[in-house]
Amino acid sequence: MAVISYLEYSNRDMSYARDMLTLGHYDPCGRFCQQSVEKRFKHYISKNGTADNIKLMQTHNLSRLYKTVCELSKHGIIRSVLGDLYKLTTYYFETNYPSEDNIELTKEMAQEAVKICEYVNKWVDSLG
């Protein structure tokens, strides 16, 4: 049985997010966008990181993963990207786990999540 890479999982999650948006299932769309970006970051870190970065493979913290990708690639941190990643994290946790702060994504929020996901994934891919 072949091992599926983080990159393949990221691409699958992006496809699922687009499908959920088309079907009007906005909460899962947001969750799949977060997962796609998380796995794209982990793909980059697993290719370019060191043994010290292995513990990051267990986190869902997009900001932490992003900062590590920036360090490894020698790119500066872009504050607006951190804000976008915070949105995806919020969409993931607040639609996935019960809490007093639960939200339901609107079509516009889901569309924004897809745009963020596409932008960040394309940026990671451009790093090589």
Side-chain angles (χ1 to χ4, degrees):
M1 184 165 131
V3 175
I4 299 174
S5 70
Y6 281 112
L7 181 61
E8 290 172 281
Y9 275 123
S10 175
N11 288 335
R12 282 183 184 184
D13 288 342
M14 185 72 250
S15 179
Y16 298 152
R18 288 184 185 118
D19 290 346
M20 293 297 102
L21 179 61
T22 300
L23 293 170
H25 300 300
Y26 305 129
D27 287 355
C29 174
R31 289 193 296 269
F32 280 120
C33 286
Q34 186 279 345
Q35 286 290 288
S36 179
V37 169
E38 177 184 324
K39 291 167 188 162
R40 199 59 136 248
F41 286 156
K42 288 177 179 181
H43 169 72
Y44 186 85
I45 293 166
S46 67
K47 275 184 25 183
N48 299 287
T50 65
D52 293 337
N53 302 122
I54 295 302
K55 64 185 172 202
L56 287 173
M57 298 306 158
Q58 298 174 1
T59 187
H60 297 294
N61 186 325
L62 294 184
S63 297
R64 189 168 167 208
L65 292 166
Y66 172 65
K67 289 174 183 176
T68 301
V69 169
C70 288
E71 289 170 11
L72 292 171
S73 66
K74 311 277 193 269
H75 278 75
I77 294 170
I78 301 168
R79 295 270 175 228
S80 62
V81 172
L82 282 174
D84 287 342
L85 297 176
Y86 178 77
K87 284 181 188 176
L88 290 184
T89 299
T90 300
Y91 295 170
Y92 177 77
F93 284 106
E94 298 305 326
T95 64
N96 208 31
Y97 299 103
S99 77
E100 293 178 6
D101 299 323
N102 281 102
I103 60 173
E104 287 187 29
L105 298 190
T106 64
K107 181 178 183 178
E108 292 75 22
M109 294 163 86
Q111 289 170 328
E112 179 183 36
V114 169
K115 282 184 182 179
I116 292 167
C117 185
E118 290 172 342
Y119 171 79
V120 173
N121 285 351
K122 186 180 259 188
W123 175 76
V124 174
D125 291 348
S126 76
L127 300 175

